[in-house]
Amino acid sequence: MKKGPNRKLGILNWIRRNREDEYELLHPSPPLSPEEALRVYPLWTRCDFCGLILYLATLKDDHFICSGCDTYLRINTFDRLESLIDPGSWRPMQELVSSADPLKFKDNKTYKQRLEDSQEKTGFQEAVQTGTGLINGCPVALGVMTFDFMGGSMGSAVGEKITRLIEYATKNGLTLIMVCASGGARMQEGVLSLMQMAKISAALYNFQNRCGLFYISVLTSPTTGGVTASFAMLGDVVIGEPQAIIGFAGRRVIEQTLGEYLPDNFQTAEYLLQHGMLDLIVKRKHLKNALTELILFNQGTPHRTHGLSL
Ligand SMILES: [Zn+2]
């Protein structure tokens, strides 16, 4: 029998290859190894602060607070909505609004590619989810920022979704709640990101000052940059989560500019409460009831006006 490359065409090899093809047809995806399965369907996670291994189902029951060191771990948007909104009452809005790429921005990746990666990672089109729902039976317009989507940064799509939510709440006389988590304006969209601050603030002016409607801002870690400098701090009541990092510029930038060292707890929710930047710090497990109490309390105030035609 002739040896060499032609041997691959032998009858035994042909049968073996056919059997392999048949096996692949019958078993389209090979079973995952335990490591791969954990990556795709994780059951456990690890606290980055104390190293404790945490069972995800228990962690969810604990509102994503580490049972080892009481650190507030990041909570994803689905779990946040589930923890705040009455079951079955969430009606999302403007889910398909997505950023364009007006500057054709590119660093080590194109902006378009970064958007696609974040969309695949989070399952959302943009870094804020907006909609209406009930909180213990009280109707609200709610926006929840997704930090895992490009650091929760505010580009033109995020700004537009929040503005439309505020305008909807204004027309329908709804209480507005924003759960903030953001690194600030989205640099990939340049000045178009910055103008979202003014656009949202203008919509809030109509909502709060012209209609006397009620806006509660909930600041989670981290809330920084252009988001802090606009709608995050404009709440009629500004609530912080315990231990949350809230600021405008980063610690290092401030230290280098002032030439001074800052206290260890600088830019934490507790420090800001002491210095009058926050109204309340509310634990995660009490947040839904605290929001309900605030909404019910505000319903009795005399200045409240329903709706405005814009
Ligand atoms: Zn921990």
mmCIF file of all heavy atoms in Angstrom, residues 47 49-52 66 68-71, ligand 1:
data_model
loop_
_atom_site.group_PDB
_atom_site.id
_atom_site.type_symbol
_atom_site.label_atom_id
_atom_site.label_comp_id
_atom_site.label_asym_id
_atom_site.label_seq_id
_atom_site.Cartn_x
_atom_site.Cartn_y
_atom_site.Cartn_z
ATOM 1 N N CYS A 47 -16.310 37.506 46.737
ATOM 2 C CA CYS A 47 -16.265 38.910 47.156
ATOM 3 C C CYS A 47 -14.855 39.442 46.899
ATOM 4 O O CYS A 47 -13.878 38.865 47.381
ATOM 5 C CB CYS A 47 -16.628 39.046 48.631
ATOM 6 S SG CYS A 47 -16.388 40.718 49.251
ATOM 7 N N PHE A 49 -13.566 41.998 48.102
ATOM 8 C CA PHE A 49 -13.031 42.734 49.250
ATOM 9 C C PHE A 49 -12.505 41.806 50.347
ATOM 10 O O PHE A 49 -11.472 42.078 50.942
ATOM 11 C CB PHE A 49 -14.100 43.687 49.799
ATOM 12 C CG PHE A 49 -14.520 44.696 48.772
ATOM 13 C CD1 PHE A 49 -15.554 44.428 47.889
ATOM 14 C CD2 PHE A 49 -13.830 45.900 48.649
ATOM 15 C CE1 PHE A 49 -15.917 45.347 46.908
ATOM 16 C CE2 PHE A 49 -14.187 46.817 47.679
ATOM 17 C CZ PHE A 49 -15.222 46.549 46.809
ATOM 18 N N CYS A 50 -13.261 40.703 50.656
ATOM 19 C CA CYS A 50 -12.790 39.819 51.726
ATOM 20 C C CYS A 50 -12.438 38.429 51.201
ATOM 21 O O CYS A 50 -11.929 37.590 51.949
ATOM 22 C CB CYS A 50 -13.821 39.721 52.843
ATOM 23 S SG CYS A 50 -15.303 38.817 52.376
ATOM 24 N N GLY A 51 -12.726 38.162 49.913
ATOM 25 C CA GLY A 51 -12.340 36.889 49.313
ATOM 26 C C GLY A 51 -13.308 35.752 49.592
ATOM 27 O O GLY A 51 -13.085 34.633 49.145
ATOM 28 N N LEU A 52 -14.385 36.025 50.313
ATOM 29 C CA LEU A 52 -15.341 34.962 50.643
ATOM 30 C C LEU A 52 -16.054 34.476 49.371
ATOM 31 O O LEU A 52 -16.428 35.272 48.516
ATOM 32 C CB LEU A 52 -16.377 35.505 51.638
ATOM 33 C CG LEU A 52 -17.283 34.482 52.300
ATOM 34 C CD1 LEU A 52 -16.500 33.618 53.277
ATOM 35 C CD2 LEU A 52 -18.431 35.183 53.034
ATOM 36 N N CYS A 66 -22.277 41.372 50.834
ATOM 37 C CA CYS A 66 -21.432 40.246 51.231
ATOM 38 C C CYS A 66 -21.681 39.904 52.703
ATOM 39 O O CYS A 66 -21.641 40.790 53.567
ATOM 40 C CB CYS A 66 -19.962 40.610 51.001
ATOM 41 S SG CYS A 66 -18.849 39.380 51.678
ATOM 42 N N GLY A 68 -19.750 38.239 54.490
ATOM 43 C CA GLY A 68 -18.479 38.196 55.213
ATOM 44 C C GLY A 68 -18.028 39.555 55.703
ATOM 45 O O GLY A 68 -17.549 39.700 56.833
ATOM 46 N N CYS A 69 -18.180 40.587 54.853
ATOM 47 C CA CYS A 69 -17.625 41.900 55.231
ATOM 48 C C CYS A 69 -18.645 43.039 55.083
ATOM 49 O O CYS A 69 -18.294 44.207 55.228
ATOM 50 C CB CYS A 69 -16.390 42.194 54.381
ATOM 51 S SG CYS A 69 -16.730 42.319 52.620
ATOM 52 N N ASP A 70 -19.923 42.700 54.804
ATOM 53 C CA ASP A 70 -21.001 43.698 54.666
ATOM 54 C C ASP A 70 -20.758 44.712 53.549
ATOM 55 O O ASP A 70 -21.308 45.816 53.577
ATOM 56 C CB ASP A 70 -21.223 44.449 55.997
ATOM 57 C CG ASP A 70 -21.996 43.607 56.986
ATOM 58 O OD1 ASP A 70 -22.685 42.670 56.540
ATOM 59 O OD2 ASP A 70 -21.884 43.868 58.206
ATOM 60 N N THR A 71 -19.913 44.364 52.583
ATOM 61 C CA THR A 71 -19.704 45.279 51.459
ATOM 62 C C THR A 71 -20.887 45.193 50.497
ATOM 63 O O THR A 71 -21.395 44.103 50.230
ATOM 64 C CB THR A 71 -18.399 44.906 50.706
ATOM 65 O OG1 THR A 71 -17.317 45.025 51.613
ATOM 66 C CG2 THR A 71 -18.165 45.812 49.516
HETATM 67 ZN ZN ZN B 1 -16.804 40.385 51.474
#
